[in-house]
Amino acid sequence: MLKHLHNGARITVQMPPNIEGHWVSTSCEVRPGPEFITRSYKFYQNNTFKAYQFYYGDNHCTTPTYTLVVRGKLRLRQASWIIRGGTEADYQVFRTQLVCHSEAMAKDMSQRLNHSCRGVVSRDGAWEPNVSYDLWNEEMGCDCSKDLNFAMHELQLMRVEKQYLHHNLDHLVEELFLGDIHTEPAQRMYYRPSSYQAALQNAKNHDQTCIACRIIFRSDEHHPPILPPKADMTIGLHGQWVSQRCEVRPEVLFLTRHFVFHEHNHTWEGHYFHYSDPVCKHPTFSIYAKGRYSRGVHSTKVMGGTEFVFKVNHMRVTPMDLPTTSLLNVFSGNECGAEGSWQVGMEQDVTHTNGCVALGIRLPHTEYELFRMEQDARGRYLLYNGQRPSDGSSPDRPEKRATSYQTPLVQCSSSSQSSEGDGKEKHSDARPSGGSGSSHSSRLDTICALTVLTLLLYFS
């Protein structure tokens, strides 16, 4: 059992996880593509499962287009050798059904699938809306769900966290993290997860402020969830933003992030704290980067997204354990700081060596980013930036710009420290992050301050 803290709550991680029950999305999710989706998964005591995937035509999940209903069997295996804190599993699909929610979508799907999977559509004509059609069952000769680029490989990796709010055993929130979806849709069928998607919450033990949870819990393939409509928020890149939890990346990376944006001169600073464990207790190295960013432009590819270009022109690295320090000292010449000079806990500027080859970072560096912002039920502002490519590369060309998002950062409601980006004292943020009053705002300030302080103490 792993234990750690998250936003003042006590977290326990079940190993192996108990996934029996009904788990639902907490919001409209964005998958690579992009695809807009909500999920409702039921796992039964006999190891079978029934999964609903509801797809939409908009980024707020108000316009359902079609639903996939997947039935199968799941077998938990062992703790993952690759992703610490995760559990590996095998699954088998017995049946996959499709229900379209409009005549236009039913016609489109029947034409699309009959072209690539002949015989799935009867000679009687096109499919009808709100009728279930088999894409796969054990008696069919082919699996037509593949033509939708569909797979349930997310069930191959999982992690369950129990969160006791305010250290109160009666205020329990259970979260189920399933494997990530490859950022290249064409690779989705062949990819074994190495990170996680946004968490599902247990319908019995979910955050009581989660309106989407209650709506999705009551839904099925003939009554898809329709989430409350809301307007897209204008991106405001200013102030300080921090990770809400220990984050997981492909290529077995655990980290936390702390960003500072200076809107008046379009400069930014980023602190990336890397760890060797899934609860971010054992630091390996940190990176401090700074540079400039462009003005935001509304994305024409990802509804609700805003595109930016970020440039990195300055970087410092701090090794925090012996293996990382030894690795950095292996590189000779001007490949990563001064040759053979690295020491545990000692920061070094690597700008003059054009980055650090050992960490796969070259300077100057440009990344093509995707952002969106929203406000949660507690009034906190959340900032989502683009999901990193699953192959471990960076979005250094426009065509590699993300079409989905990472775990969101939370905005600290005020900031009063000077920054390297402008040398000026930062004023209190005019937009409070905790919309439910001063007490909530002060709690958020405390959380942000403690988060930043903890990160700095770890790496000082």
Side-chain angles (χ1 to χ4, degrees):
M1 190 79 80
L2 301 174
K3 295 184 179 181
H4 62 112
L5 296 179
H6 163 51
N7 277 357
R10 191 185 74 180
I11 302 289
T12 62
V13 180
Q14 286 187 315
M15 300 284 287
N18 177 14
I19 62 170
E20 183 182 340
H22 189 176
W23 305 81
V24 295
S25 298
T26 61
S27 64
C28 187
E29 300 172 3
V30 184
R31 284 187 166 183
E35 293 175 343
F36 306 111
I37 183 175
T38 60
R39 295 175 289 158
S40 176
Y41 292 180
K42 299 177 181 179
F43 297 97
Y44 302 104
Q45 191 173 17
N46 63 358
N47 297 324
T48 62
F49 68 86
K50 183 178 183 181
Y52 294 99
Q53 293 188 353
F54 306 101
Y55 291 82
Y56 299 82
D58 69 298
N59 61 310
H60 297 298
C61 293
T62 63
T63 310
T65 55
Y66 67 92
T67 297
L68 292 177
V69 186
V70 187
R71 295 173 175 85
K73 191 167 188 176
L74 183 74
R75 181 174 67 91
L76 297 183
R77 295 173 60 200
Q78 70 278 338
S80 175
W81 289 88
I82 300 174
I83 307 300
R84 292 183 59 188
T87 298
E88 296 178 355
D90 290 328
Y91 75 93
Q92 180 182 0
V93 172
F94 300 150
R95 189 179 189 184
T96 304
Q97 293 176 294
L98 170 72
V99 179
C100 297
H101 301 303
S102 70
E103 289 187 7
M105 180 55 63
K107 181 179 179 180
D108 178 71
M109 280 291 187
S110 60
Q111 292 176 346
R112 176 179 172 184
L113 293 173
N114 202 39
H115 176 74
S116 57
C117 194
R118 292 193 177 278
V120 69
V121 180
S122 68
R123 294 181 179 179
D124 297 335
W127 283 348
E128 297 180 4
N130 302 314
V131 176
S132 296
Y133 295 95
D134 279 343
L135 298 182
W136 160 255
N137 62 52
E138 295 178 311
E139 298 176 357
M140 291 177 66
C142 66
D143 183 358
C144 297
S145 65
K146 292 181 179 179
D147 294 297
L148 298 178
N149 212 15
F150 166 77
M152 286 296 290
H153 296 341
E154 61 192 280
L155 297 179
Q156 293 176 328
L157 179 67
M158 56 187 62
R159 171 184 173 94
V160 170
E161 292 189 359
K162 290 187 176 184
Q163 184 178 150
Y164 296 94
L165 303 179
H166 315 299
H167 296 269
N168 188 335
L169 297 181
D170 294 328
H171 293 173
L172 171 65
V173 173
E174 286 188 285
E175 293 185 309
L176 171 62
F177 294 84
L178 296 176
D180 64 326
I181 307 298
H182 200 287
T183 51
E184 286 293 331
Q187 298 296 318
R188 186 177 298 183
M189 301 290 297
Y190 316 104
Y191 176 65
R192 190 170 188 95
S194 61
S195 182
Y196 300 104
Q197 295 179 70
L200 303 175
Q201 288 193 6
N202 191 311
K204 285 187 177 180
N205 298 307
H206 67 81
D207 189 331
Q208 295 305 307
T209 65
C210 180
I211 297 173
C213 296
R214 296 194 289 271
I215 296 173
I216 298 168
F217 170 72
R218 297 192 298 262
S219 302
D220 59 31
E221 67 268 42
H222 300 295
H223 306 88
I226 298 176
L227 302 190
K230 55 184 178 180
D232 293 327
M233 291 190 66
T234 301
I235 296 286
L237 289 186
H238 61 88
Q240 301 199 44
W241 303 78
V242 295
S243 295
Q244 300 182 78
R245 64 189 336 129
C246 186
E247 300 174 3
V248 186
R249 295 283 182 281
E251 306 297 317
V252 201
L253 294 175
F254 304 102
L255 78 159
T256 55
R257 298 173 290 157
H258 170 208
F259 286 167
V260 185
F261 297 103
H262 310 289
E263 194 172 34
H264 71 282
N265 62 3
H266 284 258
T267 60
W268 71 282
E269 304 166 57
H271 302 264
Y272 304 84
F273 304 96
H274 290 77
Y275 304 82
S276 62
D277 65 297
V279 294
C280 290
K281 289 290 185 71
H282 303 290
T284 54
F285 66 95
S286 70
I287 294 174
Y288 168 80
K290 69 177 182 179
R292 305 187 66 83
Y293 63 94
S294 68
R295 294 185 181 276
V297 177
H298 288 297
S299 174
T300 58
K301 187 173 184 179
V302 183
M303 190 182 301
T306 301
E307 297 179 350
F308 291 87
V309 179
F310 276 73
K311 295 185 181 295
V312 185
N313 52 34
H314 182 89
M315 183 172 294
R316 301 197 296 262
V317 175
T318 307
M320 290 305 299
D321 64 358
L322 284 173
T324 305
T325 305
S326 299
L327 173 66
L328 296 177
N329 280 324
V330 165
F331 285 81
S332 59
N334 61 352
E335 294 179 318
C336 186
E339 180 179 348
S341 65
W342 293 96
Q343 299 179 45
V344 175
M346 297 294 291
E347 183 181 68
Q348 190 170 151
D349 195 317
V350 297
T351 305
H352 66 285
T353 58
N354 298 319
C356 182
V357 173
L359 300 177
I361 302 169
R362 289 287 193 182
L363 294 182
H365 182 65
T366 299
E367 294 204 346
Y368 294 83
E369 264 289 7
L370 179 75
F371 279 74
R372 74 179 170 98
M373 187 181 292
E374 67 179 37
Q375 194 172 14
D376 69 10
R378 294 185 174 88
R380 304 179 305 171
Y381 286 90
L382 304 178
L383 182 67
Y384 297 76
N385 70 307
Q387 184 178 346
R388 305 297 295 180
S390 299
D391 62 6
S393 64
S394 64
D396 54 5
R397 301 190 303 274
E399 62 268 23
K400 295 185 69 176
R401 194 190 304 270
T403 56
S404 55
Y405 301 97
Q406 299 182 42
T407 302
L409 304 170
V410 64
Q411 186 184 43
C412 303
S413 60
S414 64
S415 175
S416 60
Q417 72 237 42
S418 61
S419 62
E420 297 190 25
D422 58 4
K424 297 179 181 179
E425 190 85 0
K426 294 293 290 182
H427 63 280
S428 292
D429 198 324
R431 185 178 60 192
S433 280
S436 57
S438 60
S439 62
H440 183 91
S441 180
S442 64
R443 286 198 301 272
L444 183 59
D445 279 339
T446 302
I447 290 170
C448 285
L450 289 174
T451 301
V452 174
L453 179 61
T454 300
L455 296 175
L456 294 176
L457 286 175
Y458 256 137
F459 291 88
S460 62

